[in-house]
């Protein structure tokens, strides 16, 4: 079995909001053919906690807060699991090559043209913010992480800070020097 992507969530990474509070390893396996298996292991013992097939190969890695786990499949579906059981599936309007971020009972997704926040339990869209940067993104992954009470999104040398509750743009910045 080969591992496509491994995501580790550490306790209280967002202590102010208490958004992440688990020590769990979750991996998407690419050797399971078209079923897209997602496996959760105890970080303390390595013991398998659950294994679930999401119906299609996982293409953008895994995001988890220890309870909810989200993946993007080759069918461009965002699939969210609770304790290994699928609770919702939403088609994404544009491709995503960045693992989702699960935090604060929300799932955050960076697609080719925007950042989305969805309710972790229902999949209902909470907000959508157009992505800052070049309009064309060819299979380029980015970064999406929580820093304090700011959702930091980075792709193609650009960063933007968003309010994770409302999606309001707090700042944008070029992370790389432009070449002459």
């Amino acid at each position: 079995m080969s591992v496509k992507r491994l995501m580790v969530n550490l306790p209280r990474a967002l202590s102010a909001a208490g958004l992440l509070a688990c020590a769990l390893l979750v991996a998407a396996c690419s050797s399971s053919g078209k079923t897209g298996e997602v496996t959760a292991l105890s970080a303390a013992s390595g013991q398998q906690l659950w294994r679930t097939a999401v119906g299609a190969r996982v293409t953008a890695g895994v995001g988890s807060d220890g309870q909810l786990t989200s993946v993007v499949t080759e069918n461009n579906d965002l699939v969210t699991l609770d304790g290994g059981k699928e609770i919702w599936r939403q088609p994404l309007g544009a491709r995503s090559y960045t693992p989702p971020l699960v935090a604060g009972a929300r799932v955050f997704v960076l697609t080719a043209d925007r950042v989305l926040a969805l309710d972790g339990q229902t999949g209902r869209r909470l907000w959508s913010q157009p992505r800052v940067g070049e309009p064309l993104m060819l299979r380029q992954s980015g970064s999406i992480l929580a820093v304090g009470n700011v959702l930091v999104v980075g792709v193609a040398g650009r960063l933007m800070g968003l309010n994770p509750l409302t999606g309001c743009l707090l700042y944008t910045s070029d992370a790389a020097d432009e070449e002459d």
Side-chain angles (χ1 to χ4, degrees), residues 40 49-52 66-69 80-87:
L49 302 173
W50 52 261
R51 178 178 291 213
T52 300
Q67 181 64 36
L68 298 179
T69 299
T80 296
L81 312 169
D82 186 348
K85 305 229 182 309
E86 184 175 324
I87 58 172

Side-chain angles (χ1 to χ4, degrees), residues 76-94:
N76 209 38
D77 288 333
L78 175 64
V79 181
T80 296
L81 312 169
D82 186 348
K85 305 229 182 309
E86 184 175 324
I87 58 172
W88 56 266
R89 178 181 296 254
Q90 288 285 351
L92 296 173

Side-chain angles (χ1 to χ4, degrees), residues 1-127:
M1 173 185 338
S2 63
V3 175
K4 171 79 175 163
R5 182 83 181 224
L6 183 65
M7 175 94 171
V8 180
N9 294 317
L10 300 175
R12 298 289 174 207
L14 294 174
S15 58
L19 298 179
L20 297 177
C22 187
L24 175 75
L25 302 174
V26 183
C29 304
S30 59
S31 67
S32 57
K34 297 185 185 267
T35 63
E37 284 191 350
V38 180
T39 304
L41 307 173
S42 165
S45 68
Q47 177 182 357
Q48 181 176 307
L49 302 173
W50 52 261
R51 178 178 291 213
T52 300
V54 293
R57 193 172 59 85
V58 174
T59 57
V62 179
S64 180
D65 67 358
Q67 181 64 36
L68 298 179
T69 299
S70 293
V71 296
V72 177
T73 70
E74 67 184 346
N75 298 335
N76 209 38
D77 288 333
L78 175 64
V79 181
T80 296
L81 312 169
D82 186 348
K85 305 229 182 309
E86 184 175 324
I87 58 172
W88 56 266
R89 178 181 296 254
Q90 288 285 351
L92 296 173
R95 286 284 175 196
S96 177
Y97 299 101
T98 302
L101 173 67
V102 181
R106 289 174 168 76
V107 179
F108 301 99
V109 183
L110 172 62
T111 69
D113 64 350
R114 65 190 57 256
V115 180
L116 303 170
L118 299 101
D119 181 276
Q121 290 298 318
T122 67
R124 181 177 62 89
R125 185 181 290 192
L126 301 172
W127 54 260

Side-chain angles (χ1 to χ4, degrees), residues 120-155:
Q121 290 298 318
T122 67
R124 181 177 62 89
R125 185 181 290 192
L126 301 172
W127 54 260
S128 173
Q129 176 68 252
R131 184 177 70 77
V132 174
E134 298 299 320
L136 181 61
M137 184 177 89
L138 300 174
R139 293 183 165 227
Q140 183 174 5
S141 65
S143 300
I144 185 166
L145 64 139
V147 179
N149 288 324
V150 177
L151 184 68
V152 179
V153 178
V155 67

